[in-house]
Amino acid sequence: MLCSLEDRAEIDDLLARYCIALDTKNWAEFPHILTEDVSWDYSDEFGAAFSGIEEVVSGIRDSIEPHPASMHVPLLTRVWSTGPDTAAGFSQVFSKSVLDGAPLPATDETTFEVYCSWLDEYVRTPAGWRISKRTLKVMASSGDAGPWDPATPAGQAFRRLTSGRAPH
């Protein structure tokens, strides 16, 4: 069943607020985006799933904080109603991260791209729509994982995504 136009607009805005908070590292915004009991499965990229807002935000912060810049862009999103105050959505997403410590503007050698999908569940709360669950599935990645510090979550993720790929 389709969501109302008003609900769809609010969920589209929620996804935009998520991407902006992520890319500007505005961690204080996440309680206005996620539910307290949020479930976050990024095992395709980071090898782990997280639950609860504190664990999810900590995992996101540890992964993104070292990057001088990142960009997360939902290219296509479809949202549907699953109940009076619940919805689900599917987004195809492009993300680009700049190598930890690299100067801006970045070059091809200092960036890494991931093409993925998000399967989300949303809940309407008294304060508005929130993401209650996300599962990420990686389709493809590009870039050289070699320069990324293997001790960081991003370095580990990029190595996991490129394992078995011939070096450039």
Side-chain angles (χ1 to χ4, degrees), residues 67-148:
H67 305 328
S70 66
M71 179 177 64
H72 292 77
V73 183
L75 302 169
L76 170 109
T77 297
R78 181 155 191 296
V79 176
W80 57 94
S81 177
T82 58
D85 293 314
T86 59
F90 175 86
S91 300
Q92 292 178 325
V93 181
F94 166 79
S95 69
K96 189 166 192 127
S97 297
V98 176
L99 178 68
D100 307 349
L104 296 175
T107 64
D108 286 344
E109 292 76 27
T110 61
T111 61
F112 196 89
E113 298 172 348
V114 176
Y115 307 89
C116 62
S117 62
W118 295 337
L119 182 57
D120 289 340
E121 293 180 14
Y122 310 101
V123 174
R124 184 193 333 260
T125 72
W129 286 96
R130 300 289 185 264
I131 302 169
S132 63
K133 182 178 182 180
R134 171 164 292 161
T135 302
L136 173 136
K137 293 293 178 194
V138 175
M139 266 188 318
S141 62
S142 64
D144 182 6
W148 293 76

Side-chain angles (χ1 to χ4, degrees), residues 3-163:
C3 287
S4 72
L5 291 177
E6 182 178 307
D7 287 340
R8 173 58 199 247
E10 288 180 28
I11 292 170
D12 283 346
D13 184 63
L14 175 69
L15 291 171
R17 289 183 10 244
Y18 167 79
C19 291
I20 291 167
L22 183 65
D23 294 334
T24 61
K25 303 174 184 174
N26 183 358
W27 313 122
E29 182 65 16
F30 280 85
H32 307 287
I33 296 169
L34 308 174
T35 61
E36 282 292 319
D37 62 347
V38 63
S39 169
W40 212 253
D41 185 353
Y42 269 45
S43 52
D44 257 20
E45 187 171 359
F46 290 102
F50 305 102
S51 60
I53 193 164
E54 288 181 25
E55 187 175 296
V56 168
V57 173
S58 178
I60 293 169
R61 183 178 29 242
D62 290 349
S63 300
I64 296 293
E65 191 67 44
H67 305 328
S70 66
M71 179 177 64
H72 292 77
V73 183
L75 302 169
L76 170 109
T77 297
R78 181 155 191 296
V79 176
W80 57 94
S81 177
T82 58
D85 293 314
T86 59
F90 175 86
S91 300
Q92 292 178 325
V93 181
F94 166 79
S95 69
K96 189 166 192 127
S97 297
V98 176
L99 178 68
D100 307 349
L104 296 175
T107 64
D108 286 344
E109 292 76 27
T110 61
T111 61
F112 196 89
E113 298 172 348
V114 176
Y115 307 89
C116 62
S117 62
W118 295 337
L119 182 57
D120 289 340
E121 293 180 14
Y122 310 101
V123 174
R124 184 193 333 260
T125 72
W129 286 96
R130 300 289 185 264
I131 302 169
S132 63
K133 182 178 182 180
R134 171 164 292 161
T135 302
L136 173 136
K137 293 293 178 194
V138 175
M139 266 188 318
S141 62
S142 64
D144 182 6
W148 293 76
D149 182 349
T152 66
Q156 293 166 12
F158 298 153
R159 278 170 180 72
R160 185 178 300 102
L161 292 173
T162 59
S163 65

